[in-house]
Amino acid sequence: MKKILVFTLTLLFAVVLTACGSESKENGKEDKTIKVGASPAPHAELLEQVKPILEKEGYKLDIKIINDYTTPNRLLNDGELDANFFQHTPYLDTEVKEKGYKIESAGNVHIEPMAVYSKKYKSLDELPDGAEIFVSNNPAEEGRFLSFFTKAGLIKLKEGTDPVKATFKDIAENKKNLKFNNKQAAEFLPKTFNNGEGDAVIINSNFALDNKLNPVKDSIALEDKDSPYANLVAVQKGHKDDAKIKALVKALQSDDVKKFIDEKYKGAVIAAN
């Protein structure tokens, strides 16, 4: 009899806890914090701008600074983040394909025109024969790196190659025998540039900005404004229509944020919408 009573009380307690948990979720008490992993600049800076907007809607924005390109998608996929904000579509597609992540885009926010920097030369045309170009070890951006040199007429890709999906193996003609050094992670390239290594360095603008480099003023070549590499908010699959995610994306795409982007970055970052 005692065993039956203990079992009954235990079951009743479990039911009460479950009911409380369900009620808490229904009341939104467990769903009002938006945990976002982001690169320091400009992503976290833009998120800081939308905190007041989200607070008015009852949401608390918890920004987790992550200064690399591999951790944010893993954390998002594992459910440790509600969203991340650091990458563009080609990179996300590559991560999903290679690592099997169940994540997707919830909306584009801005474009960070990538740039080429050099302490030795003032233009791509000045690069000498056999010049060493430092780029990141991100395979999803090889086509992006090559676009600078195809547009400058220094290299040609194999016929029929999709410029966005191009790799170093797709180079059909290399007039100056340019050598691409892709042994380093993107976050270390500003240091490579500051140390004067190589003849030129291609740096992602978030890392350039974080190291006091202005892509518009300090580079020898700047990516076009019609770049297909818009930075996006990524979420777990099936969650892009969640109320808090829609509120986050709407705030980041707002006119106030566009104005902030224009005034602060002056062309180094461009609103995507």
Side-chain angles (χ1 to χ4, degrees):
M1 183 69 179
K2 287 183 179 179
K3 288 184 179 179
I4 295 174
L5 180 61
V6 170
F7 175 76
T8 303
L9 289 173
T10 302
L11 182 61
L12 179 61
F13 183 64
V15 170
V16 170
L17 283 178
T18 302
C20 289
S22 299
E23 181 181 354
S24 179
K25 286 184 179 180
E26 287 174 5
N27 291 336
K29 293 180 181 178
E30 294 183 0
D31 198 37
K32 287 297 185 178
T33 296
I34 312 174
K35 190 181 295 184
V36 184
S39 299
H43 307 81
E45 295 172 350
L46 298 182
L47 288 170
E48 288 290 347
Q49 294 301 305
V50 303
K51 270 187 175 181
I53 299 174
L54 293 171
E55 284 177 1
K56 290 179 181 178
E57 298 186 33
Y59 295 107
K60 177 184 177 182
L61 185 59
D62 183 6
I63 305 170
K64 304 294 185 183
I65 303 296
I66 305 172
N67 201 27
D68 69 68
Y69 282 167
T70 57
T71 306
N73 280 336
R74 177 179 59 79
L75 293 178
L76 177 60
N77 187 71
D78 292 346
E80 296 182 43
L81 299 171
D82 294 307
N84 68 39
F85 181 33
F86 78 101
Q87 65 192 321
H88 51 61
T89 299
Y91 184 75
L92 174 61
D93 290 344
T94 299
E95 287 275 276
V96 169
K97 181 179 179 180
E98 294 184 353
K99 300 178 181 177
Y101 290 148
K102 303 298 182 182
I103 57 181
E104 62 183 340
S105 172
N108 293 336
V109 179
H110 70 274
I111 297 168
E112 300 168 20
M114 184 178 274
V116 184
Y117 301 82
S118 177
K119 287 184 175 292
K120 302 174 183 177
Y121 306 100
K122 295 182 179 180
S123 71
L124 296 182
D125 290 335
E126 289 185 11
L127 292 174
D129 187 76
E132 183 178 28
I133 316 298
F134 278 86
V135 302
S136 81
N137 58 3
N138 180 1
E141 292 197 314
E142 289 185 11
R144 194 176 188 185
F145 306 145
L146 293 175
S147 67
F148 288 103
F149 305 97
T150 55
K151 289 177 182 177
L154 299 181
I155 65 173
K156 288 184 179 180
L157 300 177
K158 295 176 182 177
E159 188 174 349
T161 300
D162 182 341
V164 174
K165 297 179 180 179
T167 69
F168 297 131
K169 294 180 180 179
D170 292 314
I171 298 175
E173 184 179 329
N174 188 344
K175 292 182 179 180
K176 290 193 173 185
N177 300 304
L178 302 175
K179 295 177 175 58
F180 295 94
N181 184 322
N182 64 336
K183 306 300 182 184
Q184 301 182 67
E187 60 265 30
F188 298 116
L189 290 173
K191 183 177 180 180
T192 298
F193 169 70
N194 288 327
N195 289 342
E197 298 178 50
D199 296 289
V201 183
I202 301 180
I203 305 176
N204 294 77
S205 286
N206 58 312
F207 292 121
L209 292 169
D210 203 36
N211 284 270
K212 311 304 180 185
L213 287 171
N214 186 310
V216 176
K217 297 179 180 179
D218 300 326
S219 69
I220 63 171
L222 182 66
E223 197 170 38
D224 292 341
K225 293 182 179 181
D226 59 353
S227 166
Y229 300 92
N231 280 228
L232 55 88
V233 173
V235 298
Q236 287 187 322
K237 278 195 172 180
H239 288 275
K240 66 180 181 180
D241 290 325
D242 288 0
K244 65 181 182 180
I245 297 302
K246 292 178 77 172
L248 172 64
V249 173
K250 181 180 178 181
L252 285 168
Q253 293 177 344
S254 68
D255 290 338
D256 286 345
V257 172
K258 291 177 184 177
K259 183 179 179 182
F260 174 80
I261 289 173
D262 290 341
E263 292 179 351
K264 179 174 177 62
Y265 302 109
K266 303 184 186 306
V269 178
I270 303 166
N273 296 282

